[in-house]
């Protein structure tokens, strides 16, 4: 498998088919392209990803940026094992360190230029509160799925109580960061499933 650009080589197709078959969510391609652009624009060298899934986004962030180092956390053992398999298949193990642990249990002495939160959506506020201290001075947090398939802005489209509770938590997090004067927030509802870039003032 190649470390080259693009989404259509056999390696990426394999990951995407695996995700589809096993109902593992992966980031929209325009969201991935946004991450790659931000990494280059801000000369990001270190990334902490919360929620590896099966390694798709970490691989995309690393493969065209040989100076980037990524620590990615995944609590589900099966997804973690799949992520390690794909990271090794793309020969990216020197760039990507995958750890099987719950994000709330993880402790680290390092600081990161970018933290990418793509873990349990209901836990966004708690994860943000914990991990913002892991940023470098000019670092920032990126959060995906702030639209949650359009349901956050259209909660009447679901009658499932658990889903309603989830979208309420996502909406409260999104509205909270946008209203907080301690943060500089760029919110992109038309990228991915709703992406925000958050800098701590």
């Amino acid at each position: 498998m190649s470390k080259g650009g693009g989404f259509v080589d056999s390696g990426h197709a394999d990951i995407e088919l695996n995700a589809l078959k096993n109902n593992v969510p992966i980031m929209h391609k325009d969201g991935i392209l946004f991450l790659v652009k931000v990494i280059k624009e801000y000369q990001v060298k270190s990334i902490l990803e919360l929620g590896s899934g099966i390694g798709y986004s970490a691989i995309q962030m690393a493969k065209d940026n040989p100076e980037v180092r990524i620590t990615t956390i995944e609590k589900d053992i099966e997804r973690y094992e799949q992520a390690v398999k794909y990271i090794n298949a793309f020969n990216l193990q020197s760039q990507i360190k995958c750890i099987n642990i719950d994000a709330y249990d993880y402790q680290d002495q390092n600081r990161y230029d970018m933290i990418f939160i793509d873990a349990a959506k209901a836990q966004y506020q708690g994860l943000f509160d914990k991990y913002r201290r892991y940023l470098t001075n000019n670092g920032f947090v990126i959060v995906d799925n702030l639209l949650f398939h359009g349901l956050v802005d259209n909660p009447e489209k679901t009658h499932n109580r658990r889903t309603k509770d989830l979208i309420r938590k996502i909406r409260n997090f999104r509205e909270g960061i946008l209203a907080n004067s301690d943060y500089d927030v760029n919110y992109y509802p038309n990228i991915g499933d709703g992406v925000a870039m958050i800098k701590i003032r």
Side-chain angles (χ1 to χ4, degrees), residues 34 38 42 146-147 185-197:
F34 171 77
V38 165
Y42 289 88
L146 293 178
L147 290 174
V185 182
N186 292 320
Y187 174 49
Y188 305 96
N190 295 322
I191 294 178
D193 190 27
V195 177
M197 180 175 175

Side-chain angles (χ1 to χ4, degrees), residues 17-137:
L17 287 172
N18 186 332
L20 181 63
K21 179 180 178 181
N22 295 289
N23 198 30
V24 178
I26 58 176
M27 195 174 192
H28 294 187
K29 290 182 180 179
D30 62 335
I32 290 288
L33 292 172
F34 171 77
L35 291 181
V36 171
K37 178 182 177 182
V38 165
I39 289 167
K40 291 180 178 178
E41 181 178 346
Y42 289 88
Q43 299 182 341
V44 170
K45 297 296 188 291
S46 57
I47 300 170
L48 176 62
E49 179 185 46
L50 308 180
S52 312
I54 57 175
Y56 183 73
S57 53
I59 288 168
Q60 294 287 357
M61 290 189 288
K63 68 185 181 62
D64 292 324
N65 299 278
E67 295 183 1
V68 168
R69 297 294 179 268
I70 301 172
T71 298
T72 181
I73 298 169
E74 176 58 53
K75 72 175 183 178
D76 184 276
I77 185 63
E78 292 184 2
R79 291 186 181 183
Y80 161 79
E81 290 174 349
Q82 287 287 305
V84 170
K85 182 187 78 170
Y86 284 119
I87 290 165
N88 291 342
F90 276 89
N91 297 314
L92 289 169
Q93 56 268 42
S94 64
Q95 284 183 255
I96 305 173
K97 178 183 179 182
C98 193
I99 302 172
N100 178 219
I101 192 171
D102 189 301
Y104 279 109
D105 295 330
Y106 183 68
Q107 301 293 329
D108 196 342
Q109 298 301 315
N110 295 314
R111 295 295 179 267
Y112 297 89
D113 298 329
M114 182 177 117
I115 296 175
F116 177 40
I117 302 179
D118 195 23
K121 313 302 179 274
Q123 304 300 321
Y124 274 0
Q125 187 65 61
L127 293 173
F128 178 79
D129 290 342
K130 174 179 178 176
Y131 281 98
R132 61 186 179 183
R133 63 187 174 90
Y134 285 74
L135 290 171
T136 57
N137 289 337

